[in-house]
């Protein structure tokens, strides 16, 4: 039987948070993510992981305090469900999602929602996996879909009006990011240094409050790339991937 751990204020300093395990260059990002989680735990945030060394976890929170441009009443929002490497195909993802569903029902929630895409893309949930559990598309922006599992037929989750823009007025390359992801701190540093060495203008806008997260100009807030005013991807960039993206 698989054993799981929920992060708490008491154990978070001694537990890993799955994503950036054992990579010294991302330690600052891991620390920032842990501090972010500590604040969110007070709001009902859940980070549940397999008691093993690997990227196996689910992370979700009440929609009212979830750092995403999505609105509803009494839903939980799933930030991420990740089962990587040799742990795939063992029913762990199923167990993690079933826990979130049961936990949400026990807390009297109206349902859960999650971001997916009509086409398979990195850093996004597998649409078919969630549909197997009864999740259905309830809103969409381009190819991106908001899937929801309703327990009581309550208010349907929706993207914010600002997120529907998927564009900004600034024409320079612009990156929106937050400490929701432990990889962003290092990549912002690397990309900043690269841009300075090349004389390239890159704007970095940190999402450091719930208000900013709820009013994003696109559907992503842990990392979003804009160029010439248009949203172009949610891929976390380093210097090499930045060059490929611009040249492409």
């Amino acid at each position: 039987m698989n054993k799981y751990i929920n992060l708490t204020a008491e154990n978070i300093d001694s537990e890993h948070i799955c994503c950036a395990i054992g990579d010294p260059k991302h330690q600052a990002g891991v620390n920032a993510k842990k501090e972010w989680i500590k604040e969110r735990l007070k709001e009902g945030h859940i980070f549940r992981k397999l008691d093993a060394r690997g990227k196996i976890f689910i992370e979700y929170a009440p929609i009212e305090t979830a750092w995403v441009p999505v609105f509803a009443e009494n839903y939980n929002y799933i930030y991420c469900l990740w089962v990587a490497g040799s742990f795939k195909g063992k029913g762990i993802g199923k167990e993690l999602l079933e826990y979130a569903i049961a936990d949400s029902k026990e807390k009297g929630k109206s349902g859960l929602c999650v971001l997916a895409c009509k086409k398979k893309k990195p850093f996004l949930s597998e649409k078919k996996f969630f549909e197997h559990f009864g999740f259905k598309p309830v809103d969409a922006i381009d190819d991106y879909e908001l899937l929801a599992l309703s327990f009581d037929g309550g208010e349907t989750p929706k993207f914010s009006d600002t997120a529907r823009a998927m564009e900004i007025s600034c024409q320079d390359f612009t990156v929106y990011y937050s400490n929701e992801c432990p990889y962003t701190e290092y990549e912002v540093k690397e990309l900043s240094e690269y841009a300075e060495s090349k004389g390239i203008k890159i704007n970095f806008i940190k999402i450091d409050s719930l208000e900013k997260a709820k009013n994003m100009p696109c559907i992503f807030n842990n990392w979003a790339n804009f160029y010439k005013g248009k949203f172009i991807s949610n891929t976390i960039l380093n210097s090499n991937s930045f060059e490929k993206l611009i040249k492409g």
Side-chain angles (χ1 to χ4, degrees), residues 9-50:
E10 290 70 36
N11 67 16
I12 189 170
D13 289 327
S14 59
E15 292 288 342
H16 70 75
I17 54 170
C18 300
C19 296
I21 302 173
D23 190 339
K25 72 181 183 182
H26 289 299
Q27 192 55 52
V30 169
N31 293 340
K33 166 78 174 186
K34 284 190 173 185
E35 291 304 312
W36 184 86
I37 291 177
K38 287 177 183 177
E39 291 301 311
R40 308 285 77 75
L41 289 174
K42 304 169 187 176
E43 303 163 348
H45 189 98
I46 301 293
F47 190 109
R48 182 175 178 82
K49 67 190 185 78
L50 187 69

Side-chain angles (χ1 to χ4, degrees), residues 51 60 115 165 196 223:
D51 188 12
Y60 59 94
L115 179 64
E196 185 176 354
W223 190 285

Side-chain angles (χ1 to χ4, degrees), residues 95-154:
E95 291 178 353
L96 287 169
L97 183 54
E98 286 179 339
Y99 175 88
I101 292 172
D103 181 47
S104 298
K105 287 181 177 179
E106 184 178 331
K107 291 174 178 174
K109 297 295 182 182
S110 296
L112 296 102
C113 55
V114 64
L115 179 64
C117 190
K118 296 175 184 177
K119 302 174 183 178
K120 187 174 181 180
K121 290 193 176 184
F123 309 111
L124 284 177
S125 301
E126 288 280 356
K127 180 181 176 180
K128 289 184 178 179
F129 175 78
F130 283 93
E131 286 180 327
H132 177 75
F133 288 86
F135 284 74
K136 297 178 180 179
V138 292
D139 200 1
I141 300 176
D142 299 328
D143 285 335
Y144 301 102
E145 292 184 311
L146 187 63
L147 307 181
L149 175 64
S150 175
F151 304 148
D152 59 15

Side-chain angles (χ1 to χ4, degrees), residues 26-242:
H26 289 299
Q27 192 55 52
V30 169
N31 293 340
K33 166 78 174 186
K34 284 190 173 185
E35 291 304 312
W36 184 86
I37 291 177
K38 287 177 183 177
E39 291 301 311
R40 308 285 77 75
L41 289 174
K42 304 169 187 176
E43 303 163 348
H45 189 98
I46 301 293
F47 190 109
R48 182 175 178 82
K49 67 190 185 78
L50 187 69
D51 188 12
R53 190 168 180 79
K55 299 172 183 178
I56 318 104
F57 68 99
I58 189 169
E59 187 172 12
Y60 59 94
I63 192 66
E64 292 83 359
T65 54
W67 282 35
V68 289
V70 177
F71 290 88
E73 285 187 12
N74 203 38
Y75 268 72
N76 272 331
Y77 179 87
I78 300 173
Y79 285 103
C80 187
L81 171 56
W82 195 358
V83 178
S86 61
F87 295 94
K88 289 184 177 180
K90 298 181 179 179
I92 296 172
K94 175 177 178 290
E95 291 178 353
L96 287 169
L97 183 54
E98 286 179 339
Y99 175 88
I101 292 172
D103 181 47
S104 298
K105 287 181 177 179
E106 184 178 331
K107 291 174 178 174
K109 297 295 182 182
S110 296
L112 296 102
C113 55
V114 64
L115 179 64
C117 190
K118 296 175 184 177
K119 302 174 183 178
K120 187 174 181 180
K121 290 193 176 184
F123 309 111
L124 284 177
S125 301
E126 288 280 356
K127 180 181 176 180
K128 289 184 178 179
F129 175 78
F130 283 93
E131 286 180 327
H132 177 75
F133 288 86
F135 284 74
K136 297 178 180 179
V138 292
D139 200 1
I141 300 176
D142 299 328
D143 285 335
Y144 301 102
E145 292 184 311
L146 187 63
L147 307 181
L149 175 64
S150 175
F151 304 148
D152 59 15
E155 178 191 5
T156 302
K158 295 289 184 183
F159 291 117
S160 70
D161 290 338
T162 58
R164 297 185 192 282
M166 300 292 274
E167 62 182 22
I168 58 177
S169 59
C170 180
Q171 298 296 298
D172 296 326
F173 198 98
T174 301
V175 176
Y176 287 80
Y177 74 100
S178 77
N179 289 132
E180 181 189 326
C181 175
Y183 291 108
T184 60
E185 283 290 318
Y186 179 82
E187 300 307 347
V188 167
K189 178 177 180 294
E190 179 186 337
L191 201 54
S192 297
E193 293 172 351
Y194 165 81
E196 185 176 354
S197 70
K198 298 289 185 178
I200 299 171
K201 177 70 177 298
I202 301 179
N203 296 320
F204 293 95
I205 300 176
K206 188 168 187 177
I207 305 303
D208 54 9
S209 72
L210 177 63
E211 181 180 6
K212 290 180 182 179
K214 288 294 188 187
N215 290 283
M216 277 289 291
C218 72
I219 55 178
F220 300 98
N221 74 304
N222 55 346
W223 190 285
N225 301 306
F226 286 82
Y227 188 46
K228 297 180 179 178
K230 302 293 184 181
F231 170 80
I232 54 174
S233 80
N234 67 314
T235 302
I236 297 176
L237 302 173
N238 56 28
S239 55
N240 290 332
S241 56
F242 173 79

